[in-house]
Amino acid sequence: MKVFEELERRRDWSEDERQLIQSVERICRDVIAPSAAAYDEAEAYPQASMDAINQLGLNAIFVQEAYGGAPMRYRVYLKVVQLISAACASTGIIYATTFHGLKPLIDFGTEDQKQRLLPRIADGAIGALAITEPNAGSDATGMTTSFRPSGDHIVIDGGKIFISNGDVADEILLFGKWSAIDDARASITALILEKGTPGFSIGRTEKKMGHRAAPTVELKFEGARVPKANLIGAPGGGLKLLFQCLNKSRPSIAAHALGIATAAFGDMVAYMNERRLSGRRVIDFQGNQFSLADMATDLAMCELWLDHVAALVESGATDIGVEASMVKMRSTDLAMRIATEAVQMHGGYGYIREFRVERLMRDAKLTQIWEGTYQVHRQLIGRSFADK
Ligand SMILES: Cc1cc2nc3c(=O)[nH]c(=O)nc-3n(C[C@H](O)[C@H](O)[C@H](O)COP(=O)(O)OP(=O)(O)OC[C@H]3O[C@@H](n4cnc5c(N)ncnc54)[C@H](O)[C@@H]3O)c2cc1C
């Protein structure tokens, strides 16, 4: 593992950043990792892990100081996501989803919105991002949830499915269509829906292959009324807002996937060094060394590309959709490949729940599906090279 330790050692963390990272490593080791299997088995919300995250004030690192935050560089946030996800992918995604849902408010909210809605997030409240509907997944423009203006309010009718954190969120970034605009793309609008809004209820909770401790639910809206003051951007500005936010949430999904990949890689190497067959260790077979070499090299490359994308985001660059797609696509494919190989290298034991790689393989699959499936990202990257 020396190559990865050296890569980490050369990162230019400031003293404050290093201390925070060490604190996150501590809660991952003492609280989050030891309870991950039990939460997964029980399909229970990882409350103790989330409490540990909030005791460290980890939401504050992505909220501005004026609203109760203690901001750190974007790369620190990514590192935190990666560490937590290596310890428990479910906890990692609950934490990251708050960032995904509320980053548009942090970046583009009005002063009034930020003063009203951000301090509780900095304090540890949960956020969610609600786009998907039964007929609008990869193609978000198919959504039918309607936003109808009525005096100082917006009346919402419709529903969302597959919403991470939907039932535990205090604030949800909700996308719908502005009823007065008759255009599939130009009508998409975003607003913040607060917990307890009359007319808003939770529907079914999904039973999932992986990420079983992270809630995924249906949201229902029957004449739900939200103040117009909660609109993020102008009516019809939702799609542009969405694309801007994806540039920050897709690297975050990559960090989450690399957390899973790192955990699987570590377990695999340890087992290959330990398990002996006919007097040789599993790692001594040359064919296995070849696969390990490919995986280790790809892991190092993904880490470096994530550093590159983090630097682009921190520099304020906005035209980075292709770079963000590349890191999301490659890191999530790699997480699935490494987790699958980790199971394989464990032989039959890899298929048994007692070994963590079984859970990691189930957790890895989702990363290739959400925030743009791997086909969608290949299309986005590929078509960027076509002459206009
Ligand atoms: C556990 C879980 C949590 C989720 N959390 C959230 C959340 O918090 N918020 C939220 O809004 N959504 C969430 N989602 C939804 C997720 O983002 C969508 O499932 C995803 O975008 C795919 O949409 P879909 O399921 O409708 O599949 P479809 O869009 O119906 O895709 C079906 C197949 O067609 C392929 N396909 C689509 N377009 C193309 C193309 N152009 N070229 C080739 N193939 C294509 C897809 O890759 C896929 O293989 C979650 C989903 C899950 C499973």
Side-chain angles (χ1 to χ4, degrees), residues 84-98:
I84 297 173
S85 304
C88 171
S90 290
T91 306
I93 210 59
I94 292 169
Y95 170 67
T97 296
T98 297

Side-chain angles (χ1 to χ4, degrees), residues 242-265:
L242 182 61
F243 290 137
Q244 282 166 324
C245 299
L246 291 174
N247 288 346
K248 290 177 185 159
S249 58
R250 286 175 170 166
S252 169
I253 292 291
H256 172 245
L258 289 179
I260 298 171
T262 314
F265 189 81

Side-chain angles (χ1 to χ4, degrees), residues 357-374:
V357 290
E358 181 269 344
R359 170 164 49 87
L360 294 172
M361 185 174 160
R362 289 188 284 107
D363 286 342
K365 185 61 209 171
L366 180 60
T367 67
Q368 293 179 303
I369 295 173
W370 61 13
E371 287 269 338
T373 63
Y374 62 48

Side-chain angles (χ1 to χ4, degrees), residues 93 97 100 127-140 160-166 173 175 206 208-211 214-217 242 250 366 368-380 383:
I93 210 59
T97 296
H100 302 166
L129 172 67
I131 304 167
T132 306
E133 297 182 8
N135 291 312
S138 303
D139 177 16
K160 297 284 168 183
I161 56 164
F162 298 164
I163 305 306
S164 307
N165 290 359
L173 181 71
F175 285 82
E206 304 299 345
K208 307 196 296 291
M209 174 192 289
H211 287 91
T216 307
V217 302
L242 182 61
R250 286 175 170 166
L366 180 60
Q368 293 179 303
I369 295 173
W370 61 13
E371 287 269 338
T373 63
Y374 62 48
Q375 295 101 310
V376 166
H377 285 291
R378 281 180 168 78
Q379 191 183 32
L380 289 171
R383 80 172 173 216

Side-chain angles (χ1 to χ4, degrees), residues 332-355:
T332 58
D333 285 354
L334 184 64
M336 192 63 216
R337 180 153 66 90
I338 293 183
T340 307
E341 272 299 289
V343 167
Q344 190 69 24
M345 293 296 180
H346 278 69
Y349 295 98
Y351 204 69
I352 305 296
R353 285 202 187 174
E354 194 183 328
F355 287 78

